[in-house]
Amino acid sequence: MLPSQSYVNVSFFQPLAFLMTGIPGLEAVHGWISIPFSSMYTVALAGNCLILLAVRRTPSLHQPMYYFLSMLALTDVGLTLTILPTTLAVLWFDRRLIGFNACLVQMFFLHSFSIVESSVLLAMSFDRFVAISNPLRYAAILTNSVIIRIGVVIVARATLCLFPVPFLVKRLNFCPGNNFLSHSFCFHPDVMRRACADITINTLYGLYVVVSTGGVDSLLIILSYTLILHTVLGLASPRERTRALNTCVSHILAVLVFYIPVITTSMIHRFGRHLPHIVHALVAYVYLVVPPILNPIIYSVKCKPIREALLRVLRGKGQI
């Protein structure tokens, strides 16, 4: 049994550490499972870093759309680096312990990067709306200073929303021996359910954060595309309509890749407690690993300027 940490009030208990879990029921083959996981993390990091490098080295990509894409890539790098150390430690070395405070820090950054990604996708939908509805003033509306302000607001929003969460968890009384997490990382719904205390406040605040960030963002994205579709249908030429819609395909795919796993994970954690633990684990990995992998692939396949810039970077050519 893990050593415990007691305070002046002996009825209040917090574990010194949590025990993380890899893939429930498949502990014997964690070594083999680590191979595809390592490959996926490598692809995610390499793909997003290449996107950042391609945008930086290509002056023709110094436009609002690609600045927002760089924000998305940077967010995916941060999200991947947040969960990579503990996941590979569990799968490679069976190092399952994570300190209580370290767990809270990881939890804060994991959920913060998720909120940032949702906000960036919203900003990208606004970018597409401005580009299609008012192309002549596109550069005048989305200036560099405006983009910087949007980036600062996105980070501030995520920080302010998540700042109370670690403190709300830290005030909880935990049961001795009930320190087994369901994942190889610290996920807020999972951590707070290890407590023996009333978690109503934590649950309600978590629901508020989800609704006020992902919920609002998804509705505003739908609104943006409703307005985009209205503008596109007003174009006289079918060729212009197709061209305008093609500029949105990459972003629409990125939105689906992010929000479908988010909604699935949220529903399973709230209404699927009867499901096997392996289902919870796999859905959480899809939510955290798949978007950082697919976003660079989507934009490199569907966006010709990005594809050409990536090829120049890989060939080692200079700035163009």
Side-chain angles (χ1 to χ4, degrees), residues 12-13 70 134 168 173 252 269:
F12 185 78
F13 173 83
S70 296
N134 204 344
L168 289 175
N173 185 23
I252 292 172
H269 267 278

Short mmCIF file of all heavy atoms in Angstrom, two decimals, residues 12-13 70 134 168 173 252 269:
data_model
loop_
_atom_site.label_atom_id
_atom_site.label_comp_id
_atom_site.label_asym_id
_atom_site.label_seq_id
_atom_site.Cartn_x
_atom_site.Cartn_y
_atom_site.Cartn_z
N PHE A 12 -8.99 14.05 7.27
CA PHE A 12 -8.75 14.52 5.91
C PHE A 12 -7.54 13.80 5.34
O PHE A 12 -6.47 13.77 5.95
CB PHE A 12 -8.50 16.03 5.91
CG PHE A 12 -8.37 16.61 4.52
CD1 PHE A 12 -9.48 16.85 3.74
CD2 PHE A 12 -7.12 16.90 3.99
CE1 PHE A 12 -9.37 17.38 2.47
CE2 PHE A 12 -6.99 17.43 2.73
CZ PHE A 12 -8.12 17.67 1.96
N PHE A 13 -7.71 13.18 4.18
CA PHE A 13 -6.64 12.37 3.60
C PHE A 13 -6.48 12.69 2.11
O PHE A 13 -7.46 12.83 1.39
CB PHE A 13 -6.96 10.88 3.76
CG PHE A 13 -6.00 9.97 3.06
CD1 PHE A 13 -4.80 9.62 3.65
CD2 PHE A 13 -6.29 9.50 1.78
CE1 PHE A 13 -3.91 8.78 2.98
CE2 PHE A 13 -5.40 8.68 1.11
CZ PHE A 13 -4.21 8.31 1.72
N SER A 70 -0.87 27.54 -37.49
CA SER A 70 0.31 27.40 -36.62
C SER A 70 -0.10 27.31 -35.15
O SER A 70 0.48 26.54 -34.37
CB SER A 70 1.26 28.58 -36.83
OG SER A 70 1.76 28.60 -38.14
N ASN A 134 -16.02 38.75 -47.06
CA ASN A 134 -15.47 40.08 -47.29
C ASN A 134 -14.00 39.97 -47.72
O ASN A 134 -13.09 40.44 -47.02
CB ASN A 134 -15.57 40.91 -46.00
CG ASN A 134 -15.57 42.40 -46.27
OD1 ASN A 134 -15.20 42.85 -47.36
ND2 ASN A 134 -15.98 43.19 -45.29
N LEU A 168 -10.08 22.94 -6.64
CA LEU A 168 -11.31 22.24 -6.30
C LEU A 168 -11.04 20.76 -6.02
O LEU A 168 -11.69 20.15 -5.17
CB LEU A 168 -12.33 22.38 -7.44
CG LEU A 168 -12.95 23.77 -7.61
CD1 LEU A 168 -13.84 23.80 -8.85
CD2 LEU A 168 -13.75 24.17 -6.38
N ASN A 173 -11.51 15.21 0.07
CA ASN A 173 -11.03 14.15 0.95
C ASN A 173 -11.05 12.84 0.18
O ASN A 173 -12.09 12.45 -0.36
CB ASN A 173 -11.92 14.07 2.19
CG ASN A 173 -11.39 13.06 3.20
OD1 ASN A 173 -10.21 12.75 3.21
ND2 ASN A 173 -12.28 12.55 4.04
N ILE A 252 -13.23 22.08 -41.75
CA ILE A 252 -14.38 21.26 -41.38
C ILE A 252 -13.93 19.88 -40.90
O ILE A 252 -14.41 19.37 -39.87
CB ILE A 252 -15.35 21.12 -42.56
CG1 ILE A 252 -16.01 22.47 -42.86
CG2 ILE A 252 -16.42 20.07 -42.28
CD1 ILE A 252 -16.85 22.49 -44.13
N HIS A 269 -18.07 9.20 -20.15
CA HIS A 269 -17.72 9.45 -18.74
C HIS A 269 -18.95 9.77 -17.91
O HIS A 269 -18.97 9.49 -16.70
CB HIS A 269 -16.70 10.59 -18.65
CG HIS A 269 -15.29 10.12 -18.64
ND1 HIS A 269 -14.65 9.67 -17.51
CD2 HIS A 269 -14.39 10.00 -19.64
CE1 HIS A 269 -13.42 9.30 -17.80
NE2 HIS A 269 -13.23 9.49 -19.09
#
